[in-house]
Amino acid sequence: MNSMLIKDNYYSEKQEKIARFAKALSNPVRVYILDYLANNLDKCCYSGDMAEELPIARSTLSEHLKELKMAGLIQGEINPPYIKYCINRENWEEAKQLFAAFFKR
Amino acid sequence: MNSMLIKDNYYSEKQEKIARFAKALSNPVRVYILDYLANNLDKCCYSGDMAEELPIARSTLSEHLKELKMAGLIQGEINPPYIKYCINRENWEEAKQLFAAFFKR
DNA sequence: TTTATATTTCGTAAATTTACGAAATGAATA
DNA sequence: TATTCATTTCGTAAATTTACGAAATATAAA
């Protein structure tokens, strides 16, 4: 209980954020998805568009999208029965800055 | 068998590399270690130095060091009975470029 | 109202990750 | 040669991740 509190505070906020964003990027499917969305700036994309390009089940794609959403890197706009996904620009910038600062040494 | 071949070739080399580097960074302990080493440019560090700063077992730290080494982000110079760890500058630069290019959109 | 459609959630299985303490390693020293 | 010391490897347990197909959801169309 006590040790959990200690551990929770052990790493800096930046270190935790980098780890969180990195985790979102730690799987090739998710990197592919982000590439796909980042290259379709104005259009954004539907889950189904990507499902046709990827060799995984639609339910698996959906879980990856959920993870990216929870990490804050994408957002989904409901447009029934579709969901239009886009890069979350604010958090994308934050991640960009964090990684740039981290590696700038 | 066949499907494995397809899947192995599905994602670009860059996407695979980003995922691999990101996985190395996906844990706060490892981000801490890299911060620690990156801030000690000329000195580099011994495993024991970090063990004193981190709330984890030495064996656990050793496994994290092994992962960072396998990801290519650090290297260890044997200097018995110590092992002096440093950032692997070549791969560090590669990771820096990859992430910068990835987020530059 | 029933049916069709896109997507997500659920249940589950297999693989991977994180962690620990104990034992092993390998070089330096007594 | 035996001991010491820093570090790693091993054995193991718990938690997390990835994946799938089936079922659920929620809206639009027939």
Side-chain angles (χ1 to χ4, degrees), chain B residues 31-48:
Chain B
V31 176
Y32 181 102
I33 291 170
L34 292 172
D35 262 338
Y36 194 96
L37 293 179
N39 287 332
N40 284 271
L41 250 196
D42 359 300
K43 291 187 272 170
C44 296
C45 293
Y46 301 106
S47 172

Side-chain angles (χ1 to χ4, degrees), chain A residues 74-86:
Chain A
I74 69 175
Q75 61 200 73
E77 184 190 309
I78 293 168
N79 191 1
Y82 302 96
I83 294 177
K84 194 162 80 174
Y85 284 104
C86 323

Side-chain angles (χ1 to χ4, degrees), chain B residues 20 27 30 40 51 68 74 91 94:
Chain B
R20 216 153 39 236
N27 177 295
R30 292 196 291 272
N40 284 271
L68 289 172
I74 68 173
N91 293 327
E94 190 189 11

Side-chain angles (χ1 to χ4, degrees), chain B:
Chain B
M1 219 46 104
N2 221 334
S3 71
M4 279 196 58
L5 283 174
I6 291 167
K7 286 195 183 185
D8 280 355
N9 278 37
Y10 207 87
Y11 309 101
S12 76
E13 197 52 50
K14 269 187 192 177
Q15 286 167 342
E16 299 273 13
K17 272 186 183 172
I18 287 173
R20 216 153 39 236
F21 281 130
K23 195 166 170 190
L25 290 171
S26 71
N27 177 295
V29 176
R30 292 196 291 272
V31 176
Y32 181 102
I33 291 170
L34 292 172
D35 262 338
Y36 194 96
L37 293 179
N39 287 332
N40 284 271
L41 250 196
D42 359 300
K43 291 187 272 170
C44 296
C45 293
Y46 301 106
S47 172
D49 298 341
M50 286 179 278
E52 281 163 28
E53 312 258 344
L54 284 165
I56 58 174
R58 275 159 202 270
S59 57
T60 304
L61 169 57
S62 183
E63 312 262 24
H64 283 301
L65 289 168
K66 183 165 68 178
E67 269 207 63
L68 289 172
K69 217 182 318 177
M70 288 191 307
L73 289 172
I74 68 173
Q75 60 199 74
E77 183 191 309
I78 294 170
N79 192 1
Y82 302 96
I83 295 178
K84 195 161 79 176
Y85 283 104
C86 324
I87 297 293
N88 178 321
R89 285 291 149 190
E90 188 179 326
N91 293 327
W92 184 267
E93 272 310 307
E94 190 189 11
K96 178 193 202 160
Q97 299 303 333
L98 278 169
F99 283 107
F102 182 79
F103 281 111
K104 192 180 189 130
R105 285 184 290 201

Side-chain angles (χ1 to χ4, degrees), chain A residues 41-69:
Chain A
L41 251 195
D42 359 300
K43 290 186 273 169
C44 295
C45 295
Y46 300 107
S47 171
D49 299 341
M50 288 181 276
E52 280 163 29
E53 313 258 345
L54 284 167
I56 57 173
R58 276 160 200 272
S59 56
T60 304
L61 170 57
S62 183
E63 312 263 23
H64 282 301
L65 289 168
K66 185 165 64 178
E67 268 206 63
L68 288 172
K69 217 183 315 174

